[in-house]
Amino acid sequence: MNNRFITPTLLVLISLGFLSCGGGAVITHDAYPDVQVAGAMKNVMWKGELAGIIRLEDIENKEGLYGIGPLSYLQGELLINDGQAYVSKVVSDTTMMVEATFDTEAPFLVYGNVTEWQAHELPASITNSKALENHLDTLTKSYKRPFVFKLKGEVMSADIHIQNLPEGSKVSSPEEAHQGQTNYKLGQEQVEIIGFFSTEHQGVFTHHDSFIHLHLITDDKTQMGHLDAVAFEAEKMKLYLPVK
């Protein structure tokens, strides 16, 4: 083609055609990646599917990776926090072991990647997990759901648990699944809470009466587990939502 016949408009069209045919990539940032779900809580609790179905090491993209779930055979808890995986196991009624490792499996897991966060102040009325759930539902009507979120700051108190199902146990109900569960009480602690929100996944990765699933880890990485109850002062806690 003779260059004198290439108008500016034609040049733009040629460039766009080149990009769309693989000569380059048009990068968009419409939203964070979709949350991924492996397995389902209800299959573990009601069907006794306790074996690991996802190996954490096999998750390819670990940049900004977050995830929560139980350890296979319900013998511990899992947390992935910003690309690092942690496993907690019961040692006694008052002590636990927390290890940083991806060498483990889960019977169900919810996980997603977030590399950009937006910090939000919490209203003074948000002092527990139920108030937080309601606040999140109101605040994120325009967000793509489900999504991962986190909180950082100081809790006044918290109740966490670690699953500790006796080896060889059979499970066909939530009551049987929680045999051996060990509960721990925390006082004032600097913590990070990783959560997943959805109104469509009850029984999959949230309980039937909740839209959120939360795991807590202390700043010193010595305590981690499923968060059952929490009390905090809003001014001492920051909420982080993924950039949409």
Side-chain angles (χ1 to χ4, degrees), residues 114-176:
V114 177
T115 56
E116 294 183 71
W117 296 94
Q118 183 175 13
H120 294 260
E121 301 290 339
L122 287 174
S125 59
I126 311 303
T127 59
N128 56 52
S129 57
K130 189 61 181 178
L132 173 66
E133 177 183 315
N134 294 334
H135 179 62
L136 281 169
D137 195 20
T138 301
L139 188 62
T140 63
K141 294 297 186 185
S142 65
Y143 278 63
K144 180 176 66 171
R145 297 176 172 183
F147 60 85
V148 58
F149 62 94
K150 62 181 180 179
L151 299 105
K152 294 181 71 172
E154 181 182 295
V155 294
M156 297 170 61
S157 65
D159 296 339
I160 63 175
H161 76 244
I162 298 176
Q163 294 288 2
N164 190 34
L165 192 66
E167 191 169 346
S169 297
K170 303 295 183 182
V171 168
S172 59
S173 71
E175 291 74 23
E176 291 177 353

Side-chain angles (χ1 to χ4, degrees), residues 29-244:
H29 186 67
D30 294 331
Y32 38 88
D34 289 343
V35 163
Q36 304 296 315
V37 182
M41 181 187 295
K42 58 188 176 183
N43 293 340
V44 176
M45 300 293 182
W46 292 101
K47 298 181 180 180
E49 297 178 2
L50 306 176
I53 63 168
I54 180 169
R55 187 166 187 80
L56 270 58
E57 282 183 335
D58 294 339
I59 301 174
E60 292 185 4
N61 183 11
K62 294 184 175 64
E63 182 182 5
L65 181 63
Y66 295 83
I68 52 180
L71 189 63
S72 55
Y73 297 98
L74 300 184
Q75 293 182 342
E77 301 290 337
L78 302 176
L79 170 67
I80 308 173
N81 185 10
D82 196 15
Q84 178 58 63
Y86 299 92
V87 177
S88 62
K89 295 183 179 180
V90 171
V91 175
S92 72
D93 288 348
T94 58
T95 58
M96 68 177 73
M97 176 190 72
V98 179
E99 180 185 8
T101 179
F102 270 95
D103 186 16
T104 190
E105 297 180 345
F108 75 86
L109 186 76
V110 55
Y111 61 101
N113 300 83
V114 177
T115 56
E116 294 183 71
W117 296 94
Q118 183 175 13
H120 294 260
E121 301 290 339
L122 287 174
S125 59
I126 311 303
T127 59
N128 56 52
S129 57
K130 189 61 181 178
L132 173 66
E133 177 183 315
N134 294 334
H135 179 62
L136 281 169
D137 195 20
T138 301
L139 188 62
T140 63
K141 294 297 186 185
S142 65
Y143 278 63
K144 180 176 66 171
R145 297 176 172 183
F147 60 85
V148 58
F149 62 94
K150 62 181 180 179
L151 299 105
K152 294 181 71 172
E154 181 182 295
V155 294
M156 297 170 61
S157 65
D159 296 339
I160 63 175
H161 76 244
I162 298 176
Q163 294 288 2
N164 190 34
L165 192 66
E167 191 169 346
S169 297
K170 303 295 183 182
V171 168
S172 59
S173 71
E175 291 74 23
E176 291 177 353
H178 288 92
Q179 295 177 72
Q181 174 180 301
T182 303
N183 303 307
Y184 299 88
K185 289 189 175 293
L186 281 65
Q188 281 189 304
E189 291 277 357
Q190 291 292 324
V191 305
E192 193 158 0
I193 299 169
I194 305 302
F196 284 79
F197 179 97
S198 177
T199 58
E200 306 295 331
H201 288 84
Q202 291 173 307
V204 179
F205 64 78
T206 71
H207 287 289
H208 71 279
D209 58 352
S210 179
F211 295 151
I212 56 176
H213 188 161
L214 306 168
H215 281 199
L216 175 152
I217 187 166
T218 56
D219 277 9
D220 62 9
K221 309 296 190 293
T222 61
Q223 299 181 86
M224 184 274 282
H226 175 100
L227 183 61
D228 294 312
V230 63
F232 52 77
E233 296 176 25
E235 63 268 21
K236 294 183 179 180
M237 187 69 67
K238 276 278 182 66
L239 169 66
Y240 295 84
L241 295 176
V243 173
K244 46 175 190 151

Side-chain angles (χ1 to χ4, degrees), residues 15-27:
S15 299
L16 289 173
F18 177 73
L19 289 174
S20 65
C21 292
V26 178
I27 299 174

